[in-house]
Amino acid sequence: MESLQNVAAGFAVVLEPTNLLYCLVGVVIGMLIGVLPGLGPAATIAILLPLTYGVEPVTAIIMLAGIFYGAQYGGTITSVLLRLPGEASSVVTVLDGHALARKGKAGTALGVAAVGSFIGGTVAIVGLTFLAPVVAGFALDFGPPEYAALALLGILLVSTIASGAKVKALIAAAIGLLLATVGRDAFTGAERFTFDSLSLADGIDFVPVAMGLFGLGEILYNLEERHRAVHAPGKVANVWPSRKDLKESSGAVTRGSVLGFFLGILPGGGATIASMAAYAAEKKRAKDPSRFGKGAIEGVAGPETANNAAATSSFIPLLTLGIPANATMALMFGALLIQGITPGPQLVSEHPELFWGVVNSMYIGNVLLLIMSIPLVGVFVRILRVRAAILAPVTALITMIGAYTINNSVFDVLLVVVFGAVGYLMKKFGFEPGPLVLAFVLGSLLESSLRRSLLMFDGSAAGFFTRPISATLLVVFVVVAVLPLIRAVRERRAAVPAGATAAADGSSDGASAKNREEESV
Amino acid sequence: MTTPDRRSPRLRRVALGATAAAAALTLAACGGNVGAAGGGEGEDFPSGPVTITVGQDAGGSTDLIARAVAEGMAEDLGVAVPVVNRAGANGAVATEEVAGKPADGYELVLLNASLITITPLAVSEDEAVDLADLDVIKGLSQDDYVLLASVDSGFENLDDLKGASGDIKYGTTGVGTGSQLAQAALFAQAEIDGTPVPFDSGSPALTAVVGDQVQVATVQLGEAKPQIDAGKVVPLLAFSAERNQFLPDVPTAVEEGYDVPVSQYRALAAPKGLPEDVKARLVESIDAAIASDTYTSFNENNLLTPHEISGEEVTTEWTELADKYKALTEEYDISLAEG
């Protein structure tokens, strides 16, 4: 078994003291920058790249990889505590994570997220170890038509994610799609809604939108609330999830791991779609979907597991095909080039020690992160004990700095302020920012993939059904869209003759009646 | 096919490490000497950090070039040379920002030729960047475009492509890029029916041609080389004026009789009106940077061909290219701003 020997040799590489040390340094840095909104793993790796020139390639990549998946852990912390998602992939965590924190269960949310991330990451590494060459081709089968179908499915999921009124969620999602069209048209070079401003030529960045709507909007809204009623500082009941919490989230963690692993392989946006799909799946499966958005533990466990699994499996295209799946992976590609190693289809056979060293370092890195998270959860949740009068301006400041660091642009800071005001107004009028932000993220993927596909099909929409993956995804889309309607009609028919029994079955029927009502609006 | 740099990664690394250490030492030594040689404005320059603004995100090839040059310049100038990324509108945001700063030599921008020569063909006039607002200091290197075919397409050379029936879907790295212009001009001159499919950058375009989502695509050599070496894509043509040293067996479009020399060139520039002595000092430091072993091996690793010409030559060359491309698009009725 040559491959097993390579795996074992990989562990020998990781366990060298230097490599262990760099792995630790990487995950600690990753976790810290994950906590700071704005400064993402891509920027951090770019800044720290020169530090890796002097060390062995495998050591360099072990550290950089640690930064990447460490940041996924750290990003959860601000999403839960301050409602500040630093990455698109942690937007859905905000919905239930922050609701849990407000109930005094921040520790539960963070603990479950840490455990889920650990399991998701580990499952994905096992997948990476045994399946990498097999599933690598999956990424290549995904062309524009498949992305278009996937994005369409994603946007449908957005409308189910919202916990409030469906119509308001759809309005918010439509605004999100509209915002995604801002910028120079990538197909014709025409200007769209840029008002002759070069700052808008590339469209609006995700971070200012998310930070304004969630972060600043929340701060403004809370300031107003406090004038009406005096709130005691948020109490922190527990710092660690109970056995019951863990048991409740075990299903979500399992499903999140598998979803995350496969969607993470796709170049571009894999982790975001994975976290959304995991959230939607949990909500669909739940006996009482109305708990979601109000602090359902599965709503944190599912997406957090999925985005970590996806972060890990996004190494597959880089290491087996030489294709960087996202900006961070592109930097890893650059780091390897500097070291004189060209990532490509021959990497595994030419540099097995590098491939297996990096893969196996992730097992160690995930264990290190879990060990660090347990005591740190207790420290982080104390943030909630800080008085709002102090916490609010500090959070606002961090948000502004975070937005500035993306492009060194004052314009982005102004955008945060604008979207902060929009977020405040949305909240005041009962609109949720979640669907807007998620539709915004998926909007440009949908538009460009759809137009690319139509160019490939000579303008014929029937082309989508000639390709197995896109056809399957579209069938799933139709089923997901139509099934609730059919079910509602059936239930209504059944309800007429059996009115008495339906009334007895109080809670569940009440919920479905409410759903029906919302759908018919 | 093994490239020479593959054979000795360890050696190269040691050399890199050693140069870096040496650089650090020299930097420290220089630090103490700033201003020791007095007299004249240029002699005092620089008394503070010299910033290089890059119009692309950190980690891309333009950014890596800026960082490689900055390292050597810092060593020679004895001051810090930070690289600032200011992505947006293909680099127009960064260029306009720097062009509006004082011409004192402390603010430089790394220019991509395509922003001057090709992008104006795709965007409105008031958005286009004018070389007249800038003082070009020094040309750096040339990055060649290669036309690649997917393995499943069965194309082995240009004749296969010309003989193919039906509409060829070709992947480009975006609207207003060299990749789009080169292919549009080639297809028009060779009378091949084709539809451009624009991707966001080189990497997704490459992925698409590896996965046979499009039959052919044109990307920069540095990105495509590993896939070419692994036989996952077939190189048909290089769009450089002369054969690329890293692809000696691949013919150029010019050799095949098509007048489409398109490469990506990069140069350092400053706001218009730079004092002569300051400019001379900057040229000197860039010359020192590009002569270093670290920089030469950086070029080799990234498959960049040195194209180290003076600022005046850059201005002439780019202006000529802009005119040539404009004439080409008019002659063959090519519109870059059409999907």
Side-chain angles (χ1 to χ4, degrees):
Chain A
M1 285 296 284
E2 195 198 343
S3 61
L4 274 185
Q5 264 172 23
N6 282 335
V7 175
F11 270 113
V13 170
V14 187
L15 293 174
E16 283 170 26
T18 329
N19 291 341
L20 275 180
L21 179 70
Y22 272 86
C23 185
L24 179 67
V25 170
V27 294
V28 170
I29 294 176
M31 200 151 161
L32 289 178
I33 58 134
V35 172
L36 292 172
L39 192 62
T44 311
I45 290 175
I47 295 163
L48 294 181
L49 213 49
L51 287 185
T52 65
Y53 291 173
V55 299
E56 296 281 321
V58 64
T59 312
I61 301 301
I62 284 175
M63 181 179 98
L64 299 179
I67 295 177
F68 180 53
Y69 54 77
Q72 306 289 327
Y73 266 70
T76 315
I77 298 167
T78 45
S79 293
V80 169
L81 298 180
L82 303 172
R83 222 175 129 89
L84 282 179
E87 302 272 330
S89 58
S90 30
V91 169
V92 287
T93 311
V94 166
L95 307 176
D96 280 285
H98 191 66
L100 279 168
R102 299 196 75 158
K103 283 185 184 170
K105 294 181 80 178
T108 310
L110 289 176
V112 165
V115 173
S117 298
F118 172 72
I119 297 173
T122 309
V123 167
I125 304 163
V126 175
L128 183 58
T129 309
F130 294 102
L131 298 175
V134 186
V135 296
F138 181 57
L140 291 177
D141 289 333
F142 256 74
E146 285 73 27
Y147 279 108
L150 194 66
L152 204 58
L153 194 59
I155 289 170
L156 180 69
L157 295 178
V158 165
S159 64
T160 65
I161 277 173
S163 60
K166 274 237 165 75
V167 175
K168 285 188 172 175
L170 286 175
I171 292 174
I175 296 173
L177 288 178
L178 194 64
L179 285 173
T181 63
V182 172
R184 186 179 287 160
D185 185 325
F187 291 74
T188 65
E191 302 292 318
R192 303 193 299 197
F193 308 114
T194 60
F195 307 102
D196 288 333
S197 158
L198 273 183
S199 303
L200 282 172
D202 284 342
I204 301 170
D205 201 277
F206 154 77
V207 176
V209 176
M211 292 200 178
L213 289 179
F214 286 114
L216 205 58
E218 174 81 4
I219 294 170
L220 292 172
Y221 187 75
N222 284 348
L223 285 177
E224 185 183 82
E225 285 285 281
R226 277 192 315 119
H227 279 288
R228 295 208 187 119
V230 183
H231 277 279
K235 65 179 166 62
V236 182
N238 64 331
V239 291
W240 192 240
S242 64
R243 199 171 282 270
K244 182 173 154 285
D245 293 323
L246 289 176
K247 205 178 155 204
E248 273 177 7
S249 23
S250 62
V253 167
T254 314
R255 287 183 290 275
S257 302
V258 176
L259 263 176
F261 176 73
F262 283 102
L263 292 175
I265 298 167
L266 303 177
T272 311
I273 296 179
S275 65
M276 282 171 53
Y279 188 89
E282 290 316 311
K283 196 172 171 184
K284 276 251 178 303
R285 279 188 55 90
K287 289 200 186 87
D288 176 16
S290 64
R291 284 190 306 123
F292 280 75
K294 294 173 192 138
I297 192 71
E298 305 96 293
V300 175
E304 277 308 309
T305 308
N307 68 21
N308 266 64
T312 307
S313 63
S314 63
F315 276 87
I316 292 179
L318 180 76
L319 294 178
T320 59
L321 300 173
I323 292 169
N326 50 43
T328 313
M329 290 299 133
L331 282 165
M332 300 263 183
F333 192 103
L336 282 169
L337 277 180
I338 289 171
Q339 298 279 0
I341 290 175
T342 315
Q346 299 141 315
L347 181 84
V348 186
S349 52
E350 281 181 9
H351 301 281
E353 80 294 345
L354 177 95
F355 180 80
W356 293 112
V358 171
V359 170
N360 292 340
S361 79
M362 295 181 190
Y363 288 107
I364 312 275
N366 268 289
V367 174
L368 289 176
L369 279 169
L370 190 67
I371 296 172
M372 285 196 306
S373 314
I374 295 170
L376 283 181
V377 164
V379 176
F380 282 125
V381 289
R382 293 214 183 108
I383 291 175
L384 291 178
R385 293 204 181 124
V386 177
R387 270 189 305 139
I390 297 166
L391 190 59
V394 171
T395 314
L397 191 68
I398 294 175
T399 311
M400 300 296 180
I401 296 173
Y404 179 75
T405 54
I406 318 160
N407 278 332
N408 297 317
S409 149
V410 181
F411 183 79
D412 284 342
V413 177
L414 294 176
L415 277 181
V416 175
V417 175
V418 170
F419 281 103
V422 173
Y424 160 76
L425 290 173
M426 283 177 75
K427 191 138 193 201
K428 207 163 161 62
F429 295 106
F431 287 89
E432 281 189 65
L436 193 160
V437 175
L438 291 168
F440 171 73
V441 169
L442 291 176
S444 48
L445 179 69
L446 175 67
E447 191 207 338
S448 57
S449 306
L450 178 68
R451 289 173 69 181
R452 240 168 245 148
S453 312
L454 290 174
L455 285 172
M456 286 168 55
F457 298 144
D458 294 317
S460 154
F464 285 103
F465 293 95
T466 62
R467 299 166 60 108
I469 301 177
S470 67
T472 313
L473 286 171
L474 285 174
V475 169
V476 173
F477 172 81
V478 172
V479 170
V480 174
V482 172
L483 208 59
L485 289 176
I486 295 176
R487 204 184 285 156
V489 171
R490 266 201 192 161
E491 274 176 19
R492 196 167 293 179
R493 271 193 203 151
V496 177
T501 41
D505 192 7
S507 68
S508 72
D509 201 71
S512 69
K514 192 168 158 253
N515 277 342
R516 211 153 50 205
E517 206 174 84
E518 279 162 6
E519 267 153 18
S520 60
V521 174
Chain B
M1 292 242 294
T2 333
T3 48
D5 36 324
R6 274 260 174 79
R7 255 178 247 135
S8 56
R10 186 169 290 270
L11 252 178
R12 180 171 311 283
R13 205 159 52 244
V14 171
L16 244 165
T19 343
L25 279 176
T26 336
L27 194 63
C30 276
N33 287 340
V34 173
E41 196 188 327
E43 305 289 325
D44 292 335
F45 177 86
S47 57
V50 175
T51 306
I52 301 181
T53 306
V54 175
Q56 277 73 25
D57 283 321
S61 47
T62 314
D63 175 67
L64 291 176
I65 292 172
R67 287 174 199 273
V69 180
E71 199 185 326
M73 284 177 71
E75 188 183 324
D76 184 72
L77 292 171
V79 295
V81 182
V83 171
V84 175
N85 300 89
R86 188 74 181 80
N90 253 345
V93 172
T95 312
E96 293 210 342
E97 201 170 276
V98 172
K101 291 200 168 156
D104 53 9
Y106 292 101
E107 296 286 347
L108 309 180
V109 61
L110 197 91
L111 286 180
N112 276 326
S114 60
L115 180 67
I116 312 290
T117 58
I118 303 172
T119 311
L121 300 171
V123 301
S124 66
E125 216 162 82
D126 47 327
E127 253 186 278
V129 173
D130 194 349
L131 210 49
D133 299 337
L134 296 161
D135 239 333
V136 184
I137 303 170
K138 179 89 191 176
L140 295 172
S141 52
Q142 167 186 348
D143 202 348
D144 287 338
Y145 289 104
V146 246
L147 176 66
L148 306 165
S150 72
V151 174
D152 291 345
S153 73
F155 302 149
E156 303 267 323
N157 51 48
L158 185 64
D159 288 330
D160 293 343
L161 179 61
K162 284 201 291 193
S165 59
D167 191 69
I168 306 287
K169 306 291 181 284
Y170 61 90
T172 78
T173 60
V175 167
T177 60
S179 160
Q180 184 198 13
L181 174 74
Q183 291 180 103
L186 176 75
F187 275 54
Q189 291 183 14
E191 295 177 343
I192 307 170
D193 289 331
T195 308
V197 182
F199 289 86
D200 295 330
S201 63
S203 166
L206 180 65
T207 310
V209 72
V210 172
D212 196 37
Q213 306 293 341
V214 287
Q215 290 145 295
V216 296
T218 292
V219 301
Q220 282 171 1
L221 178 64
E223 284 174 302
K225 193 71 174 21
Q227 305 294 340
I228 295 175
D229 290 346
K232 302 283 177 187
V233 285
V234 184
L236 302 181
L237 273 186
F239 287 100
S240 46
E242 279 151 35
R243 282 219 177 186
N244 184 292
Q245 53 169 325
F246 303 105
L247 278 182
D249 302 327
V250 177
T252 66
V254 179
E255 285 171 35
E256 298 277 323
Y258 301 104
D259 184 25
V260 273
V262 182
S263 292
Q264 179 66 289
Y265 300 96
R266 291 182 179 96
L268 270 172
K272 189 80 188 166
L274 202 60
E276 273 311 312
D277 45 357
V278 171
K279 185 172 175 180
R281 182 69 189 94
L282 283 170
V283 170
E284 192 189 321
S285 74
I286 298 169
D287 283 341
I290 60 186
S292 72
D293 290 343
T294 325
Y295 183 81
T296 17
S297 58
F298 164 83
N299 268 349
E300 270 171 43
N301 280 335
N302 288 280
L303 312 182
L304 297 167
T305 308
H307 190 62
E308 290 148 3
I309 55 177
S310 76
E312 290 73 25
E313 285 169 309
V314 170
T315 311
T316 320
E317 183 182 82
W318 291 11
T319 314
E320 278 171 15
L321 281 174
D323 293 342
K324 184 181 177 67
Y325 295 154
K326 193 162 192 296
L328 259 181
T329 52
E330 278 164 9
E331 185 182 345
Y332 292 98
D333 196 24
I334 299 165
S335 167
L336 294 190
E338 232 172 53

